Amino acid sequence: MIAAQFPTRPGPGLKAPPRARHLRSQISNFRSLTHVGLSPNHGLSQSRGADAPIRLLRLDRSMRARASALRGRPLLVVLAIVVLAVWPARVRGGNVTEPRRGGTLRLSMPSDLRSLDPAISYDEDSTPLTKLLFRGLLDFGKRADLVLDQASDWKISPDGKTYTFHLRPGVRFANGRPVAAQDYVFSFERVLSPQISSPGRDFFLCIAGAPAFAAGKAAHVSGLTAPDARTFIIKLRTPVYTFRYVLALNFADVVPRDVVRKYGVDFQYHLIGSGPYKLAQWRRGVRWRFVRNPCYTGSDGYVDAVDVMIGADNTTATMMLERGEIDRVLASPAEAIRFERTPRLRSWLVRANSANTDYIFMNTEMKPFDNVLVRRAVNYAINKRRLLRLTGGFDTVADGIVPPIMGWTNSSLPRYRYDPEKARALLREAGYPNGFNTELWYMVDLPILARLAEGAQQDLQQVGIQAALRPVNGTTFNVKSGTRHQIPLGVYGWFEDYPDPGNFLDVLLNGEHITETDCNNVSFYNNPSVNHLLDTAVTCLDQEQRLRLFRQAEDLIMTDAPWVPLVHEQVPILYSPRLRGTAPDPVWLWRWERMWIDP
Amino acid sequence: MLAHFLTRLFWSALTLLATAVLVFFLVNAVPGDVARVIAGPKASPAVLQQIRKRYHLNDPVIVRLGYYLLQLAHGDLGHSFVTDQPVAQALLTRLPVTAALSAMAVVLWMLIAMPLGVLTAKYAGSWIDRGALVAATLSLSLPAFWLARMLQYSLAYKLGWFPVAGFHGFVSLLLPGITLALLFIGYYSRLIHTNMVEVLDSPFVRAARAKGASEAAVLFKHALPNALIPVVTILGMDVASLLGGVLFTENVFALPGIGKLAVQSVFNLDVPMIMGTVLLSATAVVTINLVVDLLYRWIDPRIKQAC
Amino acid sequence: MAETIAAPVSNPVSERSPPAGRKQVDSALLNNRLVQVGAGIILILTLLAIAAPTLTRIGVLHEPIHQDTNGLDADGMPRPPSAHYLLGTDNLGRDVLSRVVYGARVSLTIGTAAMLTATLIGVTVGLVAGFYGGKLDLGLMRFTDMNLSLPAILLAIAFAGLMDGKVVHLHPAWLHWSFLDIRLQRGMVSVFLIIGFVCWPGMVRVIRGQVLSIRERDFVQAARALGASDARLISRHILPNVLPTVIVLAAMNTANTIMLEAGLGYLGIGVPPPAPTWGGMIADGQPYFIAAPLIVIAPGLAIVITVLAFNLLGQGLQEALDPKHHP
């Protein structure tokens, strides 16, 4: 998904404190993918040993900026897998106490969420809140392992195409009605329905009969069946390995079919699910309140209520946190550093790593960026180490397209090192001895990207490229960047949905996915050899082979240089000291129902 | 009296109508694909087409204006493009906060401006007066967004006298109210000062003094009420600028009011919501001016046709 | 707030007969402490703004948009004040003092240009409405009232929303006169026009009131009886007499326009970066506010001082030009 959320990032810096460096070194231990048991049977294990170092990272993180309600995020389907390494983030001393029940968790968000309807919800603040209300068959455990949630057992056929679930008896919706397998059929179809425009639709298109249903050509999805109230069977068109992870996303959570039918689109105001909490109040743009669901039988859900206030900007929220008015803030880079440098506050800070790449894209269909020499010149012109410090200093420099934290290595990187002389030489060679004028677009509501853009502008200027800054709001940027011949040069960011290199390479740079509008390939980069490599890799089930293909593709892409990869972000989070269980969730960064309040 | 009232009412309504038309054109010139804003990024072309049809987005602006005015005539402000929430409902849930904040600010600044104005008028020309003048000018030179941040930082965050932000009843309005009051005290203290100077010079005050009324009685019982009459008019005219200050203050203090809504809707390109907030503020200004006008006539029947 | 300031001058200058005691006014002006202070500050600010590039050249100031590599510490935190950076650096390693000084260029230019725009519109509307009266007067005044009933900042936001790179063709489609294409984008010009278009209504009422009374004065009536044209009446008799009021209003309106420019910059819809604007500096500095408060405090104080100077000047002018009010 695209871009970042408001606050920002710090993390181990250039001269990082020892602890942070330690974190970094742990990543490198897990860099190799080879020991990540990817054989199908291994993947089926429902819970890995505590010593297993391998994790699925975060699936879903997107921008939550001021305009989050409408920020679009192109979606991606990814058909592959890589389980990855997440480094154990800092664990606070307080986490050793036993979870206890009670208290109210107070949260703050800069702007309201679009919806917590599990078919709609799709960003880093929405998903964990959606999980308070809704649950499904599978869930991610504390180590990003797949665990059974509201299913009592599951089975995948040897050909990898048929998933059979039996529902756990006694599971009821918040209105008291027991959950039936038919509710799952209904919920899955709802995500695919052409009326809903669910951002999760593409995840489900590998189900048999799904494309026909999504196109409105079939009344039901033939691959979804409920032979009895406790059995739910999913048949896939192709054995997509990653589909099992989809089943733990909120799109696969169950909604009560009678209630949804009754309210229609108004279901978003009457959210009822089978999660640990129920919706007590939603005042648009003002506040959300969640209270215990009396029908819930699971052991999680420690706090009595969750209160979310809307509208405080980041600076205000940080002051509120310090004064004990709220319990969590996504820290700005400066605040993260201040908390780290202040002994009293140091333990409030938790750093979570995210699989993301912020990058400059050059529109390969627009002059002068249709010239590969110009694109390479731009790559040499950008001083990434300097940019890193502008964004708070603790992210990592991006050498390639795919974030290394996904377990990705590519020995041919970095391809371009900062070298303004070489950039000027390339520009001369390309026929621009005096540089040229262009426009650099970015989203004004995402300060990190804005800072990167302002920094890059100065670097470009130094080699003779005069780029006028074009700050626009998120919606405008998303629409314009996805449309042909609109933006010559822009700054963008992408967060993984799935821990797979294809989530970056295939989704963002496969020329066959270019569309006139809504295009994720914002460089409009189209190299047939790359396309072929990516197409082969995505449908390949041999892990070694597909990684090799992806690596070849990344090499070719870096040679053609449609992007300047800038940085990989890290998310600094500040938690009130009374809150426990705040170690970063490997998938969603935080899970409110797994935190508790120390009296 | 009734005829006058009806004339004023007619003009007020016309002003509002013209405002609606003006703002409609302004807001609808804003670029950006509105259908996409409504439908979200994943919407299919068919869905987009459906939405364009439903909101008449394919029609010329003038036809859309017709639809909009028709809708307004039915008392319907439309639905938010972004959240599909009825605009009227969104405005109504936020109005109390803004109204309470404004009222608190007015009360606070009048409570301080009145004695200040009286005092400086009594000692007109002295160093107290000159100092107060400079202080007053300073007060109207403060940027709301900056002052709000400074007060939030020093009084709430550092000293802990007030909650930092958020809305939990009356307490949450104190600091934002003080912020707004500080922005207006200067102006009103000078206004009262000027009027007081004139009133103190008038025959009836001299008469009161001659009768041997105490100085305090002269100042506060005889002079001040008379000096306050023109202030009421200005107060009515100032609602618009007060709302401008409220806009920034609400955003810094995260108060769920109209100002917060306005800024959010602008950033979201939420056309009906922008229209709603603008129309609401225009309505507030026009209504309050109407009330002030009538009040004025009631207080001071001598005024016949001043405009 | 922004628009409050115009209103206090409900009757800034008493009506005087045409031969205004110029000498008297001059000395009153020069002796008024408020005028002295206000004009002095404005003079210093203007000189600083003009001299800024020279100051940079001789090394007193830094380049305002230059992101100094040493401007951030190892973690990427802005530098605190030091001998090298008197007010510290901002989040991109730029010198805060230099940006504040260069910000004066932007603020004063836009403020003045917008004031001139607003004055031009406001005075024209006020003159026409007051002089011709009747239906025209009614229409113009209602239009003014309508504009007054909208918070200026809200109107400015709506205008600023228009400036999104859209190209307006001022020529028929079949003529390819691209020089008549106007690109609506944010820049100094669009920002001062927006502010100018938003700030004029405050002046109209006062000007009109004065024109109404001057129109009925003997010397105007006499000129009219002698067959003077409307244009001549306005330019030779009316305008000179409202001029003092216009000057007072203009000074105060400059305070308004500068404040509004800062407000737009704060909301991220002013002059686009990397140009240093005070409002923009406050907005960009907010995430760094608690850790490095100067980034926000410095441009805020710059706004306060500048606006204060114009308000003091206006206040002083009003006193000096209206001896009756302040003996």
Side-chain angles (χ1 to χ4, degrees), chain C residues 270-282:
Chain C
V271 179
T277 64
W278 292 336
M281 288 173 75
I282 294 178

Side-chain angles (χ1 to χ4, degrees), chain A residues 315 319 332 334-335 337-338 341 386 389-390 392-394 439 442 451 454-455 457-458 469-472 476, chain C residues 65-67 69 72-77 91-92 94 164 183 185-186 272-274 286-291:
Chain A
T315 314
M319 292 186 202
S332 77
E335 286 310 307
I337 297 167
R338 182 172 70 90
R341 287 179 180 175
R386 194 180 69 83
R389 283 207 281 165
L390 299 187
F394 290 135
E439 293 176 352
Y442 62 94
R451 248 165 261 152
E454 290 189 43
Q457 186 210 24
Q458 172 163 323
L469 290 179
R470 289 275 174 270
V472 293
T476 308
Chain C
I65 57 170
H66 177 68
Q67 299 158 11
T69 329
L72 297 173
D73 69 13
D75 291 340
M77 278 288 262
N91 50 316
L92 292 178
R94 300 174 295 200
D164 219 356
R183 190 169 187 158
Q185 64 191 24
R186 285 163 42 207
Q286 285 197 107
Y288 291 79
F289 176 54
I290 310 172

Side-chain angles (χ1 to χ4, degrees), chain A residues 319-338:
Chain A
M319 292 186 202
M320 294 178 78
L321 178 85
E322 254 189 275
R323 300 272 356 160
E325 293 173 28
I326 53 171
D327 292 316
R328 182 217 57 165
V329 172
L330 295 178
S332 77
E335 286 310 307
I337 297 167
R338 182 172 70 90

